[in-house]
Amino acid sequence: MYGLVNQAIQGLVIDNHGEEAWGRIKARAGVEEEAFLSNTIYDDSVTYSLAGAAAEELGVSLSDVLIGFGKYWVLRVGKEKYGALMMAGGSTFGEFLINLPNFHSRVMLIYTDITPPEFKVEETGEGAYLLHYYSTRPGLTPFMQGLLEGLSELYGAQSQIRCTGSRADGLDHDIFEIALV
Ligand code: HEM
């Protein structure tokens, strides 16, 4: 994945636990780079190792690391570094969800070689959505949960977000049910 993803993990750890914790996590993950370049593609194993090492070092589950990372991605990275891009996604949480399937095509104007996730979104009723998340990468369901929780918070929405089917259950993709309350 592009280095900005690893940079964001670094930001999340340093903001919440300090530079020393980041140093320990990097060492545990066997990462030798002094710093990540946002526009360089690193092997996905670097990102997975960092997330796993963060969970071990901080004594939390990998799932909690990924949920926290998803929220941080939207509420800090998205909001502060890609404000215009995020705003173009919609003026409400519901609108953002409807537009989500096209989101990474705009990201690809900046980061041309990403392997993006794919989304299908259905509006199933008033303020009710089913989001289908297709990925070539394993294990990112909790990251997606965190991203959606972050988006809900970003738009000041009250919502219930539940993963109702996943690749862990044998499906070929993950399904999230989102209800604005
Ligand atoms: C300004 C905001 C965003 C930027 C710049 C961005 C950019 C990226 C980049 C660079 C990657 C790594 C892909 C690669 O390097 O091959 C990625 C992955 C991903 N993004 Fe975004 N993204 C943004 C917002 C979002 C939002 C709002 C969502 C969903 C609600 C999302 C969902 C994901 C997921 C799930 C992945 C993991 C890739 C996979 O499943 O294969 N992103 N994004």
Side-chain angles (χ1 to χ4, degrees), residues 99-125:
N99 294 331
L100 186 60
N102 295 321
F103 192 88
H104 286 81
S105 54
R106 283 196 301 278
V107 171
M108 287 176 90
L109 298 174
I110 319 173
Y111 299 102
T112 46
D113 292 327
I114 63 171
T115 307
E118 282 184 30
F119 301 108
K120 281 188 193 144
V121 178
E122 303 167 54
E123 195 167 0
T124 53

mmCIF file of all heavy atoms in Angstrom, residues 99-125:
data_model
loop_
_atom_site.group_PDB
_atom_site.id
_atom_site.type_symbol
_atom_site.label_atom_id
_atom_site.label_comp_id
_atom_site.label_asym_id
_atom_site.label_seq_id
_atom_site.Cartn_x
_atom_site.Cartn_y
_atom_site.Cartn_z
ATOM 1 N N ASN A 99 -22.335 7.950 -2.335
ATOM 2 C CA ASN A 99 -21.242 8.289 -3.263
ATOM 3 C C ASN A 99 -19.976 7.449 -3.067
ATOM 4 O O ASN A 99 -19.051 7.536 -3.874
ATOM 5 C CB ASN A 99 -20.863 9.774 -3.109
ATOM 6 C CG ASN A 99 -21.988 10.684 -3.542
ATOM 7 O OD1 ASN A 99 -22.778 10.310 -4.404
ATOM 8 N ND2 ASN A 99 -22.081 11.869 -2.951
ATOM 9 N N LEU A 100 -19.942 6.665 -1.979
ATOM 10 C CA LEU A 100 -18.716 5.930 -1.634
ATOM 11 C C LEU A 100 -18.153 5.057 -2.771
ATOM 12 O O LEU A 100 -16.935 4.988 -2.936
ATOM 13 C CB LEU A 100 -18.947 5.096 -0.358
ATOM 14 C CG LEU A 100 -17.723 4.378 0.208
ATOM 15 C CD1 LEU A 100 -16.617 5.346 0.590
ATOM 16 C CD2 LEU A 100 -18.119 3.515 1.419
ATOM 17 N N PRO A 101 -19.027 4.377 -3.571
ATOM 18 C CA PRO A 101 -18.462 3.536 -4.635
ATOM 19 C C PRO A 101 -17.550 4.300 -5.595
ATOM 20 O O PRO A 101 -16.672 3.690 -6.218
ATOM 21 C CB PRO A 101 -19.715 3.002 -5.356
ATOM 22 C CG PRO A 101 -20.760 2.973 -4.282
ATOM 23 C CD PRO A 101 -20.491 4.202 -3.447
ATOM 24 N N ASN A 102 -17.729 5.615 -5.715
ATOM 25 C CA ASN A 102 -16.869 6.390 -6.625
ATOM 26 C C ASN A 102 -15.692 7.058 -5.927
ATOM 27 O O ASN A 102 -14.869 7.696 -6.578
ATOM 28 C CB ASN A 102 -17.683 7.496 -7.305
ATOM 29 C CG ASN A 102 -18.735 6.900 -8.202
ATOM 30 O OD1 ASN A 102 -18.473 5.902 -8.866
ATOM 31 N ND2 ASN A 102 -19.920 7.469 -8.188
ATOM 32 N N PHE A 103 -15.632 6.934 -4.604
ATOM 33 C CA PHE A 103 -14.672 7.749 -3.855
ATOM 34 C C PHE A 103 -13.220 7.521 -4.293
ATOM 35 O O PHE A 103 -12.480 8.456 -4.566
ATOM 36 C CB PHE A 103 -14.821 7.489 -2.342
ATOM 37 C CG PHE A 103 -14.092 8.491 -1.517
ATOM 38 C CD1 PHE A 103 -14.703 9.677 -1.138
ATOM 39 C CD2 PHE A 103 -12.769 8.287 -1.135
ATOM 40 C CE1 PHE A 103 -14.018 10.629 -0.403
ATOM 41 C CE2 PHE A 103 -12.083 9.222 -0.400
ATOM 42 C CZ PHE A 103 -12.718 10.397 -0.022
ATOM 43 N N HIS A 104 -12.815 6.252 -4.361
ATOM 44 C CA HIS A 104 -11.402 5.991 -4.652
ATOM 45 C C HIS A 104 -11.016 6.281 -6.099
ATOM 46 O O HIS A 104 -9.835 6.329 -6.415
ATOM 47 C CB HIS A 104 -10.993 4.574 -4.223
ATOM 48 C CG HIS A 104 -10.853 4.440 -2.737
ATOM 49 N ND1 HIS A 104 -11.935 4.263 -1.922
ATOM 50 C CD2 HIS A 104 -9.772 4.521 -1.918
ATOM 51 C CE1 HIS A 104 -11.529 4.214 -0.666
ATOM 52 N NE2 HIS A 104 -10.229 4.373 -0.629
ATOM 53 N N SER A 105 -12.018 6.482 -6.971
ATOM 54 C CA SER A 105 -11.621 6.894 -8.329
ATOM 55 C C SER A 105 -11.079 8.328 -8.276
ATOM 56 O O SER A 105 -10.195 8.687 -9.047
ATOM 57 C CB SER A 105 -12.770 6.748 -9.326
ATOM 58 O OG SER A 105 -13.885 7.437 -8.874
ATOM 59 N N ARG A 106 -11.580 9.133 -7.332
ATOM 60 C CA ARG A 106 -10.993 10.479 -7.163
ATOM 61 C C ARG A 106 -9.641 10.386 -6.451
ATOM 62 O O ARG A 106 -8.713 11.116 -6.772
ATOM 63 C CB ARG A 106 -11.954 11.405 -6.409
ATOM 64 C CG ARG A 106 -13.080 11.915 -7.309
ATOM 65 C CD ARG A 106 -13.784 13.100 -6.697
ATOM 66 N NE ARG A 106 -14.368 12.786 -5.399
ATOM 67 C CZ ARG A 106 -15.544 12.182 -5.248
ATOM 68 N NH1 ARG A 106 -16.260 11.854 -6.309
ATOM 69 N NH2 ARG A 106 -16.009 11.928 -4.052
ATOM 70 N N VAL A 107 -9.544 9.454 -5.476
ATOM 71 C CA VAL A 107 -8.248 9.247 -4.805
ATOM 72 C C VAL A 107 -7.192 8.875 -5.852
ATOM 73 O O VAL A 107 -6.039 9.297 -5.775
ATOM 74 C CB VAL A 107 -8.361 8.135 -3.738
ATOM 75 C CG1 VAL A 107 -6.988 7.751 -3.192
ATOM 76 C CG2 VAL A 107 -9.303 8.548 -2.595
ATOM 77 N N MET A 108 -7.616 8.135 -6.881
ATOM 78 C CA MET A 108 -6.662 7.667 -7.908
ATOM 79 C C MET A 108 -6.131 8.788 -8.794
ATOM 80 O O MET A 108 -5.170 8.589 -9.529
ATOM 81 C CB MET A 108 -7.296 6.553 -8.748
ATOM 82 C CG MET A 108 -7.393 5.265 -7.964
ATOM 83 S SD MET A 108 -8.236 3.956 -8.849
ATOM 84 C CE MET A 108 -6.851 3.196 -9.683
ATOM 85 N N LEU A 109 -6.758 9.963 -8.712
ATOM 86 C CA LEU A 109 -6.188 11.112 -9.424
ATOM 87 C C LEU A 109 -4.887 11.543 -8.744
ATOM 88 O O LEU A 109 -4.003 12.125 -9.371
ATOM 89 C CB LEU A 109 -7.178 12.290 -9.447
ATOM 90 C CG LEU A 109 -8.506 12.024 -10.167
ATOM 91 C CD1 LEU A 109 -9.454 13.203 -10.001
ATOM 92 C CD2 LEU A 109 -8.271 11.741 -11.652
ATOM 93 N N ILE A 110 -4.774 11.262 -7.435
ATOM 94 C CA ILE A 110 -3.559 11.624 -6.694
ATOM 95 C C ILE A 110 -2.609 10.417 -6.609
ATOM 96 O O ILE A 110 -1.424 10.524 -6.871
ATOM 97 C CB ILE A 110 -3.882 12.063 -5.239
ATOM 98 C CG1 ILE A 110 -5.129 12.944 -5.168
ATOM 99 C CG2 ILE A 110 -2.672 12.746 -4.590
ATOM 100 C CD1 ILE A 110 -5.565 13.263 -3.739
ATOM 101 N N TYR A 111 -3.178 9.282 -6.222
ATOM 102 C CA TYR A 111 -2.373 8.063 -6.041
ATOM 103 C C TYR A 111 -2.808 7.078 -7.129
ATOM 104 O O TYR A 111 -3.733 6.284 -6.924
ATOM 105 C CB TYR A 111 -2.575 7.503 -4.628
ATOM 106 C CG TYR A 111 -2.146 8.485 -3.561
ATOM 107 C CD1 TYR A 111 -3.080 9.235 -2.845
ATOM 108 C CD2 TYR A 111 -0.797 8.701 -3.295
ATOM 109 C CE1 TYR A 111 -2.674 10.164 -1.886
ATOM 110 C CE2 TYR A 111 -0.387 9.622 -2.345
ATOM 111 C CZ TYR A 111 -1.334 10.347 -1.647
ATOM 112 O OH TYR A 111 -0.930 11.264 -0.708
ATOM 113 N N THR A 112 -2.125 7.189 -8.280
ATOM 114 C CA THR A 112 -2.639 6.543 -9.488
ATOM 115 C C THR A 112 -2.603 5.015 -9.452
ATOM 116 O O THR A 112 -3.366 4.368 -10.148
ATOM 117 C CB THR A 112 -1.836 7.020 -10.716
ATOM 118 O OG1 THR A 112 -0.450 6.962 -10.372
ATOM 119 C CG2 THR A 112 -2.186 8.443 -11.094
ATOM 120 N N ASP A 113 -1.717 4.450 -8.638
ATOM 121 C CA ASP A 113 -1.532 2.995 -8.694
ATOM 122 C C ASP A 113 -2.120 2.246 -7.509
ATOM 123 O O ASP A 113 -1.670 1.136 -7.193
ATOM 124 C CB ASP A 113 -0.032 2.668 -8.810
ATOM 125 C CG ASP A 113 0.512 3.110 -10.164
ATOM 126 O OD1 ASP A 113 -0.255 3.052 -11.138
ATOM 127 O OD2 ASP A 113 1.676 3.539 -10.233
ATOM 128 N N ILE A 114 -3.108 2.806 -6.836
ATOM 129 C CA ILE A 114 -3.685 2.065 -5.703
ATOM 130 C C ILE A 114 -4.470 0.854 -6.201
ATOM 131 O O ILE A 114 -4.956 0.823 -7.335
ATOM 132 C CB ILE A 114 -4.616 2.923 -4.788
ATOM 133 C CG1 ILE A 114 -5.850 3.433 -5.520
ATOM 134 C CG2 ILE A 114 -3.876 4.029 -4.115
ATOM 135 C CD1 ILE A 114 -6.868 4.095 -4.582
ATOM 136 N N THR A 115 -4.547 -0.136 -5.331
ATOM 137 C CA THR A 115 -5.474 -1.246 -5.535
ATOM 138 C C THR A 115 -6.635 -0.954 -4.606
ATOM 139 O O THR A 115 -6.591 -1.268 -3.420
ATOM 140 C CB THR A 115 -4.813 -2.587 -5.139
ATOM 141 O OG1 THR A 115 -3.567 -2.687 -5.848
ATOM 142 C CG2 THR A 115 -5.693 -3.761 -5.479
ATOM 143 N N PRO A 116 -7.667 -0.276 -5.098
ATOM 144 C CA PRO A 116 -8.700 0.238 -4.190
ATOM 145 C C PRO A 116 -9.707 -0.832 -3.775
ATOM 146 O O PRO A 116 -9.867 -1.835 -4.481
ATOM 147 C CB PRO A 116 -9.397 1.311 -5.038
ATOM 148 C CG PRO A 116 -9.226 0.844 -6.435
ATOM 149 C CD PRO A 116 -7.936 0.070 -6.497
ATOM 150 N N PRO A 117 -10.392 -0.601 -2.670
ATOM 151 C CA PRO A 117 -11.519 -1.471 -2.328
ATOM 152 C C PRO A 117 -12.672 -1.152 -3.273
ATOM 153 O O PRO A 117 -12.661 -0.120 -3.939
ATOM 154 C CB PRO A 117 -11.876 -1.026 -0.902
ATOM 155 C CG PRO A 117 -11.439 0.400 -0.839
ATOM 156 C CD PRO A 117 -10.249 0.525 -1.737
ATOM 157 N N GLU A 118 -13.654 -2.065 -3.344
ATOM 158 C CA GLU A 118 -14.864 -1.752 -4.135
ATOM 159 C C GLU A 118 -16.067 -1.809 -3.216
ATOM 160 O O GLU A 118 -16.117 -2.632 -2.297
ATOM 161 C CB GLU A 118 -15.032 -2.782 -5.252
ATOM 162 C CG GLU A 118 -14.089 -2.500 -6.405
ATOM 163 C CD GLU A 118 -14.299 -3.453 -7.558
ATOM 164 O OE1 GLU A 118 -15.442 -3.924 -7.753
ATOM 165 O OE2 GLU A 118 -13.302 -3.732 -8.239
ATOM 166 N N PHE A 119 -17.020 -0.935 -3.500
ATOM 167 C CA PHE A 119 -18.218 -0.859 -2.672
ATOM 168 C C PHE A 119 -19.467 -0.876 -3.531
ATOM 169 O O PHE A 119 -19.485 -0.316 -4.620
ATOM 170 C CB PHE A 119 -18.220 0.451 -1.875
ATOM 171 C CG PHE A 119 -17.027 0.617 -0.970
ATOM 172 C CD1 PHE A 119 -16.029 1.531 -1.277
ATOM 173 C CD2 PHE A 119 -16.899 -0.136 0.177
ATOM 174 C CE1 PHE A 119 -14.919 1.689 -0.461
ATOM 175 C CE2 PHE A 119 -15.798 0.012 1.009
ATOM 176 C CZ PHE A 119 -14.810 0.926 0.691
ATOM 177 N N LYS A 120 -20.511 -1.525 -2.979
ATOM 178 C CA LYS A 120 -21.857 -1.369 -3.557
ATOM 179 C C LYS A 120 -22.728 -0.913 -2.401
ATOM 180 O O LYS A 120 -22.621 -1.466 -1.297
ATOM 181 C CB LYS A 120 -22.392 -2.698 -4.087
ATOM 182 C CG LYS A 120 -21.803 -3.050 -5.428
ATOM 183 C CD LYS A 120 -22.481 -4.259 -6.033
ATOM 184 C CE LYS A 120 -21.638 -4.747 -7.205
ATOM 185 N NZ LYS A 120 -21.647 -6.200 -7.301
ATOM 186 N N VAL A 121 -23.556 0.073 -2.640
ATOM 187 C CA VAL A 121 -24.382 0.613 -1.555
ATOM 188 C C VAL A 121 -25.844 0.604 -1.981
ATOM 189 O O VAL A 121 -26.184 1.040 -3.079
ATOM 190 C CB VAL A 121 -23.939 2.053 -1.207
ATOM 191 C CG1 VAL A 121 -24.830 2.639 -0.126
ATOM 192 C CG2 VAL A 121 -22.486 2.058 -0.745
ATOM 193 N N GLU A 122 -26.692 0.059 -1.102
ATOM 194 C CA GLU A 122 -28.140 0.063 -1.359
ATOM 195 C C GLU A 122 -28.808 0.855 -0.255
ATOM 196 O O GLU A 122 -28.486 0.658 0.918
ATOM 197 C CB GLU A 122 -28.719 -1.351 -1.248
ATOM 198 C CG GLU A 122 -28.128 -2.397 -2.142
ATOM 199 C CD GLU A 122 -28.592 -3.786 -1.671
ATOM 200 O OE1 GLU A 122 -29.808 -4.016 -1.539
ATOM 201 O OE2 GLU A 122 -27.722 -4.614 -1.393
ATOM 202 N N GLU A 123 -29.747 1.721 -0.628
ATOM 203 C CA GLU A 123 -30.567 2.397 0.388
ATOM 204 C C GLU A 123 -31.803 1.517 0.560
ATOM 205 O O GLU A 123 -32.595 1.359 -0.360
ATOM 206 C CB GLU A 123 -30.924 3.805 -0.102
ATOM 207 C CG GLU A 123 -31.451 4.670 1.004
ATOM 208 C CD GLU A 123 -31.504 6.147 0.621
ATOM 209 O OE1 GLU A 123 -31.125 6.509 -0.515
ATOM 210 O OE2 GLU A 123 -31.932 6.928 1.480
ATOM 211 N N THR A 124 -31.942 0.934 1.743
ATOM 212 C CA THR A 124 -33.008 -0.058 1.920
ATOM 213 C C THR A 124 -34.250 0.528 2.569
ATOM 214 O O THR A 124 -35.273 -0.135 2.681
ATOM 215 C CB THR A 124 -32.508 -1.241 2.780
ATOM 216 O OG1 THR A 124 -31.948 -0.699 3.989
ATOM 217 C CG2 THR A 124 -31.445 -2.042 2.059
ATOM 218 N N GLY A 125 -34.153 1.776 3.012
ATOM 219 C CA GLY A 125 -35.298 2.446 3.643
ATOM 220 C C GLY A 125 -34.851 3.829 4.058
ATOM 221 O O GLY A 125 -33.730 4.244 3.735
#
